[in-house]
Amino acid sequence: MFKKIIVFLIVSLFVACGTNKPVVRTTKPTATKPVAKNTKRPISKPTETKKTETKTASNDKSNEPKTEVLEATSRVKVTTEIVLAYIDQYKDVAKKNMKNHGVPASIALAQAILESGAGTGDLSSQANNHFGIKCHKDWNGESVKHDDDEAQECFRKYDKVYDSYEDYAAFLKGRKWYQPLFKLEKNDYKGWAYGLKKAGYATDPNYPSKLIGLIERYQLNKYDAEVLGTEYVPSYKNKNVDAEEKYVSKEGKHEVIKGDTLYSLSKKYNISVDDLKRKNNLSENAISIGQLLEVK
């Protein structure tokens, strides 16, 4: 009987071991499944970060300082801050020049900004020449060579920038072809801009519009008002004056613009078409933009 009990216990032990093995095997796959699921979630986060960085970079570009190209005796790119600093440095010199010599401060500053690249061009750096004035026959001072209309032309050199402003005013007053400018109203910067081009100061056909653009963009004509003791009127509030017509009509001439015909000019200046043709030696009615016609 004792032997049977021992045999029964041994058999029961073997049965119990056999039933436990499958339980161990089934737990392994169950443990690995959550790990595989968890590793997929963080993948999208780096992509979101990159998009944010790209937007931030594009926003930074909008804060870059504005620049413009100034081209006269030198071609340079300057920022608004450079131009404003130049104006602040030389506005009093230009105002003094206007009081002493009659050249509008707005015109002097605009020409200096354009010709010298707001003080950053080669001539202004090497020779303190802020107006691009060449030597000419009456110059006995120092000079430098610079490429302009021709290679290695002679330009005046000054000890100080102030001397450049003084010589600029004397240069205009000492030449008869600039004399009509000094008969204009002191605040007529548009008349001066067109008059300088017509008198031959520059060969660039866009010279007047460049000067006017600088004056109105940086409100340089307020310095004219300060010298004259008058109220400053911003240019956008004073659009009723056609400066080019005002200037050429004083000289008895008209520069042809787009849309002009001999018939429209005859009505404008109260003169017959035949008289216009006779005054200007025209054999036909065709006229071209930029042509200068005698109208009085």
Side-chain angles (χ1 to χ4, degrees), residues 256-272:
V256 177
I257 61 175
K258 185 177 180 180
D260 281 345
T261 63
L262 288 181
Y263 179 76
S264 67
L265 294 178
S266 70
K267 296 298 182 183
K268 184 173 186 175
Y269 293 104
N270 195 27
I271 184 174
S272 70

Side-chain angles (χ1 to χ4, degrees), residues 39-280:
T39 55
K40 293 180 181 179
R41 291 180 183 176
I43 294 175
S44 61
K45 290 183 178 180
T47 306
E48 293 176 358
T49 303
K50 288 181 180 178
K51 287 181 179 178
T52 304
E53 290 172 357
T54 303
K55 288 179 181 178
T56 303
S58 63
N59 289 338
D60 290 343
K61 290 180 181 179
S62 64
N63 295 326
E64 292 178 358
K66 295 181 180 179
T67 62
E68 61 178 307
V69 176
L70 300 177
E71 183 176 6
T73 50
S74 298
R75 180 182 175 86
V76 295
K77 183 182 286 188
V78 298
T79 63
T80 300
E81 287 74 15
I82 290 174
V83 178
L84 290 174
Y86 183 91
I87 294 168
D88 188 60
Q89 185 173 2
Y90 295 110
K91 63 184 180 183
D92 290 334
V93 176
K95 287 165 64 177
K96 183 178 180 180
N97 234 18
M98 182 175 180
K99 292 176 182 177
N100 295 339
H101 306 294
V103 180
S106 59
I107 284 291
L109 285 170
Q111 282 197 276
I113 291 167
L114 182 60
E115 296 285 349
S116 73
T120 67
D122 292 338
L123 274 178
S124 56
S125 301
Q126 298 172 10
N128 285 323
N129 188 333
H130 283 222
F131 294 90
I133 300 180
K134 297 178 183 179
C135 294
H136 302 288
K137 294 180 180 179
D138 58 343
W139 179 248
N140 298 317
E142 293 185 71
S143 63
V144 294
K145 299 293 184 180
H146 182 76
D147 293 345
D148 190 39
D149 296 325
E150 298 178 5
Q152 294 298 288
E153 291 189 87
C154 181
F155 285 85
R156 302 183 182 192
K157 182 179 180 180
Y158 306 97
D159 292 333
K160 298 176 293 184
V161 176
Y162 176 83
D163 297 332
S164 177
Y165 273 79
E166 282 288 307
D167 188 53
Y168 155 75
F171 179 83
L172 295 179
K173 291 181 73 174
R175 285 159 173 76
K176 62 181 180 180
W177 46 89
Y178 293 119
Q179 293 310 302
L181 296 173
F182 292 92
K183 297 176 183 178
L184 297 172
E185 295 179 15
K186 299 301 182 184
N187 59 354
D188 187 7
Y189 64 88
K190 290 184 178 180
W192 269 80
Y194 285 107
L196 285 165
K197 171 64 179 68
K198 293 180 186 298
Y201 194 98
T203 57
D204 183 358
N206 297 317
Y207 197 75
S209 60
K210 288 180 179 179
L211 294 181
I212 293 170
L214 286 169
I215 291 170
E216 296 183 348
R217 186 154 63 253
Y218 295 102
Q219 300 181 352
L220 302 181
N221 52 324
K222 67 183 177 183
Y223 302 118
D224 299 340
E226 289 176 9
V227 172
L228 297 172
T230 58
E231 181 183 359
Y232 166 61
V233 179
S235 57
Y236 65 85
K237 293 184 179 179
N238 188 24
K239 293 291 186 181
N240 60 339
V241 177
D242 187 333
E244 185 173 13
E245 283 186 17
K246 183 177 178 182
Y247 178 76
V248 297
S249 64
K250 282 189 175 184
E251 298 298 303
K253 298 179 181 179
H254 176 91
E255 185 172 340
V256 177
I257 61 175
K258 185 177 180 180
D260 281 345
T261 63
L262 288 181
Y263 179 76
S264 67
L265 294 178
S266 70
K267 296 298 182 183
K268 184 173 186 175
Y269 293 104
N270 195 27
I271 184 174
S272 70
V273 172
D274 289 337
D275 283 342
L276 276 174
K277 292 172 70 174
R278 179 179 54 79
K279 283 178 174 289
N280 295 281

